[in-house]
Amino acid sequence: MQNSLAASETAQMSPLQRDSLQQQIYDRLHAGLIAGAFRPGEVISSRGLAGQLGVSAMPVREALTRLTAEGALELTPSRTLRVPVLSPDDFDEVTAIRTELEGMAASRAGGQLSDDDVARICALHGTLAQAADSGDVDRYLAANADFHSGIYAAARWPVLLGMIQRLWLIVGPSIRASLPDQGHISRSMGFHDTIRDAVVAGDAAALSAAIIADIANAAPEIRTALIAQAATPASAHPQGAAAS
């Protein structure tokens, strides 16, 4: 399988500007990993990505180096870069840490939401609901990441937000690989509605509890998928062109 951003996302991308090109590439790949545009085990080619983005390979390599340092990518013994494949135990660790950090961020955000914060988060919820109704999993997962990030940003603790985003970088591909169906999305939207209601009410405790419940709701299905993937021969994992 050729590694790539989702075709629909690629088609909608605005042209990259030459200012801070490496940062723009990093931001785009960062968002793609969180939303599951790349799959566990997928090999990442700097030349292939450069061709897709219409840029030289150098800023792409620089962005990939940053993502590797953050644990979003790994260097294989054959010197290629790939998206890590989480074991069930790895996923359990990430989930436990996410529960603590995201619950903390939600609690802090809920206690200091401005009117602008509430309006912005409600708008993100509206976009998420539209994505859920569309049945487009890629669109839904991207909107889900934006919705959660919008809440955690309202905590106004950038170090905490960075830690949470790093965990999402690690787990995002596995969430997409679990192939959430419409039933899962519908159940998840019930939790997201509760989160939105807590935001509107400015109830920090309820917001934290709803975020934690949302994570707990999704975790068993993702873990089950990871167990199934672990039993799949390595040759069945997606592969792309070698990185360079």
Side-chain angles (χ1 to χ4, degrees):
M1 177 185 296
Q2 181 182 4
N3 65 78
S4 63
L5 298 174
S8 59
E9 180 184 0
T10 303
Q12 296 172 9
M13 287 179 178
S14 58
L16 288 167
Q17 303 299 313
R18 291 296 167 182
D19 296 338
S20 304
L21 186 58
Q22 186 268 345
Q23 182 64 45
Q24 292 178 70
I25 295 168
Y26 169 85
D27 290 342
R28 188 164 291 180
L29 297 179
H30 186 282
L33 283 159
I34 286 177
F38 300 91
R39 307 301 177 87
E42 185 171 350
V43 174
I44 305 298
S45 166
S46 59
R47 284 183 293 185
L49 287 172
Q52 289 182 47
L53 298 172
V55 298
S56 67
M58 182 59 70
V60 174
R61 290 194 189 102
E62 293 170 349
L64 293 176
T65 296
R66 288 179 62 185
L67 290 165
T68 303
E70 293 172 354
L73 302 173
E74 63 183 4
L75 187 64
T76 70
S78 61
R79 306 298 295 174
T80 59
L81 286 176
R82 73 173 183 181
V83 180
V85 178
L86 287 185
S87 70
D89 287 344
D90 291 336
F91 175 72
D92 289 344
E93 179 182 4
V94 171
T95 300
I97 299 170
R98 282 187 60 206
T99 298
E100 293 295 326
L101 296 186
E102 293 179 41
M104 179 192 305
S107 178
R108 177 174 169 82
Q112 60 180 21
L113 291 166
S114 67
D115 291 343
D116 286 344
D117 289 330
V118 173
R120 176 174 50 81
I121 293 167
C122 285
L124 291 169
H125 176 273
T127 300
L128 180 60
Q130 291 175 358
D133 290 341
S134 76
D136 184 330
V137 173
D138 294 319
R139 180 183 170 194
Y140 174 78
L141 290 177
N144 178 61
D146 289 343
F147 177 60
H148 279 264
S149 182
I151 293 168
Y152 307 145
R156 297 179 179 83
W157 272 0
V159 174
L160 178 58
L161 179 60
M163 294 169 70
I164 291 171
Q165 289 179 334
R166 184 165 182 175
L167 293 171
W168 276 64
L169 271 177
I170 294 170
V171 79
S174 294
I175 293 175
R176 180 61 183 86
S178 69
L179 297 176
D181 57 20
Q182 195 59 41
H184 171 88
I185 290 174
S186 296
R187 291 191 298 276
S188 183
M189 279 307 301
F191 290 94
H192 293 145
D193 291 345
T194 302
I195 291 168
R196 185 269 322 274
D197 292 345
V199 166
V200 172
D203 189 330
L207 178 56
S208 180
I211 287 287
I212 291 171
D214 184 33
I215 296 171
N217 168 66
E221 292 182 39
I222 300 169
R223 194 180 197 280
T224 297
L226 290 174
I227 292 172
Q229 291 162 22
T232 302
S235 60
H237 290 303
Q239 297 293 321
S244 59

